[in-house]
Amino acid sequence: MIKLLPTKYRIIYLIIFVLGLLKVLKTGAIFYPDSYAFLDMQINRSPVYSLFLKLTTTVFGDYYEVPVLVLQYLFFVLAINYLLKSIKSKINLSAVGILLIQFSILINGLYFYLSVNRVLSEAIVFPLILIFIAEVFKLLSNKTLKSSYKLIVVFFVLLFTRGQFLAFLPLLILALLYVIYQSKNYKKGIIVLCLTLATPFLSSLLEKTYNKVVIGEFKGYAMTYVHFITNPFYIANTEDEKLFSNPEEKAFFNRTYNLMLDKKITRNQAIQTKYVDDYLFFENNFSKICNASIHQANMDYYGTQGYNYLEQQYKVDQMTSSMFLPLLKANFKTWVRMVVKSFIKGFGGIQMCLALGLLLLYCIMFFKDNTMLFLGIAITLKVLNGIIIAMVVHSIYRYTFYFDWVLLSAFILILDSKIKKA
């Protein structure tokens, strides 16, 4: 990227990255409960990030913190550089515009969320998203399948690292269909589409294979349905035990829901409290509902029944996966309202939703313009991520920060093009 900048701007470009590194080192590593789960390589955490930490701790021992920060920042820098190079190759963006976008992405990861400093999978997910956006942009702007395999690999790694990005699959399929039609390369197109559709299954297969190598069990232990069922459990009613004819499912429901009643963390109890919004109450108590009441309490129960740790984990996932749809169907309208509230909250309010909606509409109207194409891709991915997060968990910043740079970058790109035309 640096070679594409005029000489006098190259040093500024490098200085910005150096200052970013100093900021990362000054802030230091930030640890959370999940950080130690990754360090311990727990089976319900991302294998990709766990392996990264394992490699780093093996090489550097107890002095791994600074190397982890440096490596995470280096990956972030390379991803930003790759994205900016992709933008510059298709959009006649000024050097000042490049520097401003560089700065907007950096502050997103170094100041507003501190993703590079966190010993969490977000540290590598954010760069992967930037690379993914760059690859989709190149695919659609070039209208060729030349780099499609590279795009699929990036998507696979992204999906294997964080399953939430399965939400990107619809856009990826539509983008490939468009390029296949434009290029008339149907033979390769069918292969690429099949590989893309197989990616989620391959990711699941690799996760089970990883578990087989690590713990000797060819099973998935991700807490997918534990998260999925949290909202349905929150909005459920005592009478919903009648939904389950299986005695074990009925017992699981009663055990969990009665515990939630004791803790006063059901929606019915929330709406009885004056001036309390039911969604905000859910967000504030998500960990108590999901982690403590649904997951850990039932694992403890199965522990008393003689199940070992792995069996407890798998049993809870089995039960929640079979109970999810009945609970969802019984309270579907309320669930939709909760999802909509979560989605709006994740976007920063109704005004931000409208602003991004209008911007996306503008991008669609001028789809053939590379500036609008790039922004359209980024905003669509932000929307898809917001939808899946609102459906599965709740819209806290940890799950939605990846695209906060988009609105500022849109302003920079549009303003830059207007100034040149003036």
Side-chain angles (χ1 to χ4, degrees):
M1 173 63 224
I2 195 168
K3 293 180 181 179
L4 299 177
L5 290 171
T7 304
K8 64 180 180 179
Y9 290 100
R10 293 178 185 178
I11 191 166
I12 300 175
Y13 185 76
L14 292 173
I15 287 172
I16 291 173
F17 280 136
V18 171
L19 290 175
L21 176 61
L22 295 176
K23 168 69 168 61
V24 169
L25 294 176
K26 181 181 178 181
T27 302
I30 303 173
F31 290 85
Y32 295 85
D34 276 358
S35 304
Y36 301 102
F38 284 116
L39 285 165
D40 293 337
M41 300 185 76
Q42 291 186 12
I43 56 172
N44 55 4
R45 295 299 187 272
S46 161
V48 176
Y49 193 65
S50 294
L51 288 170
F52 163 70
L53 290 179
K54 180 65 175 178
L55 178 62
T56 311
T57 53
T58 300
V59 174
F60 297 98
D62 294 337
Y63 303 98
Y64 69 90
E65 290 186 20
V66 171
V68 163
L69 293 181
V70 172
L71 289 171
Q72 289 181 170
Y73 182 68
L74 179 61
F75 187 31
F76 190 37
V77 167
L78 292 174
I80 294 173
N81 191 70
Y82 188 77
L83 178 64
L84 293 175
K85 186 176 179 181
S86 301
I87 294 172
K88 183 64 177 175
S89 67
K90 296 296 179 181
I91 299 172
N92 186 24
L93 186 61
S94 68
V96 173
I98 288 289
L99 295 176
L100 288 173
I101 294 177
Q102 174 200 18
F103 183 72
S104 68
I105 300 174
L106 270 175
I107 62 171
N108 193 170
L110 302 185
Y111 179 75
F112 292 119
Y113 184 70
L114 298 171
S115 63
V116 177
N117 291 92
R118 297 179 185 233
V119 185
L120 295 170
S121 59
E122 291 93 304
I124 61 173
V125 168
F126 194 4
L128 283 170
I129 288 177
L130 298 178
I131 296 170
F132 181 75
I133 292 173
E135 288 300 324
V136 175
F137 177 59
K138 288 198 293 184
L139 174 78
L140 289 172
S141 58
N142 292 331
K143 298 182 180 66
T144 175
L145 296 172
K146 183 178 179 180
S147 61
S148 56
Y149 293 127
K150 185 178 178 182
L151 172 58
I152 293 171
V153 170
V154 174
F155 178 61
F156 175 80
V157 176
L158 186 59
L159 184 59
F160 191 50
T161 307
R162 288 284 284 271
Q164 76 185 69
F165 300 111
L166 180 62
F168 293 171
L169 186 60
L171 175 65
L172 187 52
I173 294 297
L174 288 174
L176 287 169
L177 287 172
Y178 173 78
V179 173
I180 291 168
Y181 174 77
Q182 291 291 322
S183 65
K184 310 300 181 186
N185 191 352
Y186 298 112
K187 184 177 180 180
K188 184 176 180 179
I190 292 173
I191 297 173
V192 169
L193 278 175
C194 289
L195 282 173
T196 304
L197 291 169
T199 300
F201 303 101
L202 293 173
S203 175
S204 176
L205 179 64
L206 185 58
E207 180 190 353
K208 292 177 181 178
T209 304
Y210 169 83
N211 290 337
K212 178 66 176 177
V213 172
V214 175
I215 59 173
E217 295 285 347
F218 189 73
K219 295 177 180 177
Y221 290 93
M223 294 171 57
T224 304
Y225 281 99
V226 174
H227 289 125
F228 261 117
I229 208 171
T230 301
N231 196 337
F233 249 117
Y234 170 66
I235 62 179
N237 299 287
T238 306
E239 297 77 16
D240 285 339
E241 71 164 306
K242 298 175 184 176
L243 298 169
F244 308 105
S245 56
N246 183 307
E248 193 172 5
E249 292 178 351
K250 188 183 292 286
F252 189 101
F253 175 83
N254 286 329
R255 185 168 58 248
T256 305
Y257 195 72
N258 287 335
L259 178 59
M260 290 171 59
L261 286 172
D262 290 342
K263 293 181 178 180
K264 294 181 171 55
I265 51 175
T266 69
R267 179 176 179 271
N268 288 330
Q269 290 168 314
I271 59 180
Q272 291 171 6
T273 306
K274 197 174 182 181
Y275 304 124
V276 173
D277 179 81
D278 58 348
Y279 169 72
L280 291 179
F281 185 87
F282 171 69
E283 182 179 296
N284 292 333
N285 291 280
F286 183 86
S287 182
K288 293 179 182 178
I289 301 168
C290 176
N291 300 78
S293 303
I294 299 175
H295 187 247
Q296 191 58 53
N298 281 293
M299 283 190 59
D300 292 341
Y301 170 78
Y302 288 122
T304 64
Q305 303 303 302
Y307 291 88
N308 64 36
Y309 177 77
L310 294 177
E311 291 170 338
Q312 295 166 29
Q313 187 81 32
Y314 190 68
K315 189 69 176 176
V316 172
D317 192 59
Q318 273 189 317
M319 295 301 297
T320 51
S321 64
S322 63
M323 295 171 64
F324 170 68
L325 283 179
L327 270 179
L328 178 64
K329 290 178 182 177
N331 302 281
F332 186 71
K333 289 183 179 178
T334 305
W335 180 81
V336 170
R337 288 197 293 271
M338 290 285 292
V339 168
V340 170
K341 284 186 176 183
S342 179
F343 180 81
I344 293 172
K345 167 75 163 38
F347 265 69
I350 191 67
Q351 294 86 354
M352 189 63 71
C353 284
L354 290 173
L356 285 170
L358 290 172
L359 183 57
L360 181 58
L361 181 62
Y362 185 74
C363 292
I364 293 171
M365 290 171 60
F366 298 96
F367 175 71
K368 292 185 178 181
D369 178 89
N370 281 332
T371 300
M372 295 301 107
L373 175 62
F374 173 77
L375 292 177
I377 292 167
I379 295 169
T380 301
L381 291 175
K382 178 178 173 67
V383 171
L384 291 173
N385 181 62
I387 291 172
I388 194 70
I389 290 303
M391 290 172 62
V392 179
V393 280
H394 58 113
S395 295
I396 60 172
Y397 201 41
R398 176 180 178 182
Y399 303 119
T400 61
F401 80 95
Y402 303 109
F403 300 94
D404 283 2
W405 55 273
V406 172
L407 194 59
L408 179 57
S409 295
F411 177 77
I412 295 166
L413 284 165
I414 295 171
L415 184 62
D416 191 82
S417 63
K418 298 296 182 185
I419 291 174
K420 286 178 181 177
K421 291 179 181 178

